[in-house]
Amino acid sequence: MSAPTSYQTRLIARTTIAEDTVAFELERPDDFTFEAGQYVSLQLPDFASTDEDDGERMLSIASTPHESRIVFAMRMRDTPFKRQLGACDIGATLLVSPAMGDFVLPDDATTPIVMIAGGIGITPFYSMLNTLRHRADRGVAVPPVTLVYGNRTPTAAAWREPLEQLIQTLPNFQLVHVYGDSDERTGATSDVNPRIRGGFITADVIKEIPGWRESHYFVVGPVAMVASMQDCLDDCGVPPEHVTIEFFPGY
């Protein structure tokens, strides 16, 4: 039996998770499978397509493979697609494609991981981190992980409180917030609180991470941000084969 080209599902919840940022929760079809970090195409069946908008978006999955739901998140802007999605009634029918992409967790549990996210680029990492916590809870070895999360302000950081709670529930996890509209720089104890940096994610921020030379880097965010991070890691001497990237062109 061939795999379906799309799955029919229903919108079951909508939650604001940061400034101008909403998470959409969908029923998970029984035969829908995915790995943490993958994405799907989300389609609005009744969308009136135009030359500028076809009613379809590629979105990373924020929920985990062990959950009975599919969660996406997006910055809400005044576009036809987002207006219609934001106005959907709970229970509305949506379509999702099979999961795609190889931006997934490595099998190796010994090499440290550094996740670098810009804005809503946090979405696949939220799935990955909660998947690692799920594994650790069951006695499976997980690698040390540092998340460097860049936003304009603290209120723009999606899932900020749940991410900070992971410091205490995910072994060997460190969180560094970088806020562009702030020059604040604190050295909070990393096993209790997140570290906070002002400005931008720079080589100095990277070199503060324990084990940064031996780590594998995952980078996701807007095209310009990903390109900047590639240059930053290159300046740090991180080999390209130790960097996995995912970017979104804007939607």
Side-chain angles (χ1 to χ4, degrees), residues 223-237:
V223 175
M225 176 265 183
V226 170
S228 175
M229 289 300 97
Q230 287 180 291
D231 290 342
C232 174
L233 294 175
D234 186 56
D235 290 343
C236 289

Side-chain angles (χ1 to χ4, degrees), residues 8-180:
Q8 184 172 297
T9 181
R10 295 188 312 117
L11 178 67
I12 57 177
R14 183 169 40 227
T15 308
T16 298
I17 56 172
E19 181 180 9
D20 299 325
T21 307
V22 175
F24 297 87
E25 182 176 336
L26 312 181
E27 285 184 343
R28 180 175 172 176
D30 292 339
D31 54 346
F32 180 85
T33 61
F34 69 98
E35 292 186 62
Q38 289 191 303
Y39 66 93
V40 298
S41 166
L42 175 66
Q43 303 166 54
L44 303 179
D46 299 326
F47 189 84
S49 299
T50 67
D51 291 340
E52 294 78 26
D53 202 326
D54 61 0
E56 181 177 2
R57 293 293 185 278
M58 301 297 179
L59 297 171
S60 294
I61 303 171
S63 46
T64 60
H66 62 272
E67 295 179 79
S68 60
R69 58 183 185 147
I70 307 173
V71 177
F72 310 98
M74 63 175 64
R75 302 290 197 202
M76 300 307 291
R77 301 288 184 260
D78 189 21
T79 65
F81 179 90
K82 293 185 178 182
R83 282 198 302 270
Q84 181 165 328
L85 179 60
C88 282
D89 294 330
I90 299 300
T93 297
L94 302 173
L95 298 175
V96 295
S97 72
M100 299 174 279
D102 55 8
F103 192 83
V104 297
L105 290 165
D107 294 329
D108 178 17
T110 60
T111 300
I113 293 174
V114 177
M115 301 175 174
I116 303 176
I120 199 59
I122 189 63
T123 307
F125 292 146
Y126 194 65
S127 175
M128 289 178 170
L129 289 167
N130 282 297
T131 295
L132 290 173
R133 180 179 57 80
H134 181 74
R135 293 177 183 174
D137 289 345
R138 280 147 185 78
V140 178
V142 297
V145 180
T146 299
L147 170 64
V148 182
Y149 187 17
N151 284 282
R152 182 173 50 83
T153 63
T155 57
W159 294 296
R160 182 161 57 97
E161 291 185 5
L163 287 170
E164 293 174 3
Q165 291 168 3
L166 281 173
I167 296 171
Q168 297 179 320
T169 59
L170 175 60
N172 299 313
F173 173 60
Q174 296 190 72
L175 172 59
V176 181
H177 285 299
V178 181
Y179 298 126

